[in-house]
Amino acid sequence: TKEVERVQDFLIKVFENVHRLEFRHPEKTIHAMESKEGEKIDFSELVDPVKDNKGVEYWMGEVEDMMKVSVRRVLYESIQDYIERKRTEWILCHPAQTILNGSQVHWTKEVEDHIKEHGSKGAKMYFDVLNDQLMETVDLVRQKLTKMQ
């Protein structure tokens, strides 16, 4: 329990694509997780593996719980932000998984809205919207982007 950072070497075996946890020093609290690609998600609350001298199996359970809470939070924020930004800007502002999931949420809503509003013609109209979005995304990825974009 005293050498809590030694779990770093085993994270990828325990949690899919969690490359490392970020610790605050000197208190050794955990405040974020990072993927192998470098995407970082800040935890909603700190996890304190040293508090109460808990065994690794207990505080790693707390880390897992905080991962779930934090991923839900950033996904929700991404879904809300979609409404506020241009789609190509939104894509660059959030972790990749939140873009994939947030796109699915909004795709479903927008398809339903088009069909409710325009009937069978709504599907064709939305197809045109999707084509425009696709072409804008193609233009975006053809630009010089950083590895994390």
Side-chain angles (χ1 to χ4, degrees):
T1 304
K2 293 179 183 179
E3 297 182 45
V4 294
E5 293 185 58
R6 292 183 67 195
V7 301
Q8 300 283 32
D9 296 336
F10 305 99
L11 287 173
I12 202 77
K13 295 176 183 176
V14 178
F15 302 113
E16 189 172 340
N17 203 31
V18 176
H19 180 64
R20 70 184 197 95
L21 298 173
E22 282 194 11
F23 288 82
R24 286 208 176 120
H25 296 283
E27 64 273 6
K28 295 184 181 179
T29 55
I30 305 167
H31 67 97
M33 63 180 163
E34 191 173 300
S35 73
K36 193 172 185 177
E37 295 79 21
E39 284 189 323
K40 177 180 158 185
I41 293 181
D42 291 325
F43 282 176
S44 298
E45 296 176 20
L46 294 176
V47 175
D48 189 349
V50 180
K51 183 181 176 188
D52 300 328
N53 207 23
K54 295 176 267 198
V56 67
E57 64 276 13
Y58 295 105
W59 63 262
M60 284 296 282
E62 292 174 11
V63 167
E64 181 179 17
D65 292 342
M66 190 50 57
M67 287 175 172
K68 293 174 188 175
V69 167
S70 301
V71 167
R72 268 191 222 111
R73 185 197 79 241
V74 296
L75 178 56
Y76 177 80
E77 290 169 355
S78 171
I79 290 168
Q80 296 304 308
D81 194 39
Y82 182 93
I83 300 163
E84 304 297 323
R85 295 181 191 261
K86 186 175 179 204
R87 189 171 195 281
T88 51
E89 182 183 333
W90 173 77
I91 289 171
L92 298 175
C93 293
H94 298 280
Q97 288 298 317
T98 66
I99 297 304
L100 291 172
N101 288 293
S103 291
Q104 292 171 344
V105 168
H106 285 286
W107 178 87
T108 302
K109 181 188 180 315
E110 291 168 0
V111 166
E112 289 176 356
D113 290 348
H114 273 79
I115 291 172
K116 284 179 185 173
E117 199 171 315
H118 305 286
S120 60
K121 291 181 183 178
K124 169 64 175 121
M125 292 169 68
Y126 192 60
F127 176 79
D128 295 337
V129 170
L130 292 174
N131 270 334
D132 291 344
Q133 287 180 351
L134 179 61
M135 293 291 82
E136 289 172 359
T137 304
V138 167
D139 290 342
L140 174 67
V141 299
R142 286 184 174 165
Q143 296 175 22
K144 189 168 187 138
L145 301 172
T146 67
K147 181 182 173 187
M148 287 307 300
Q149 290 178 312

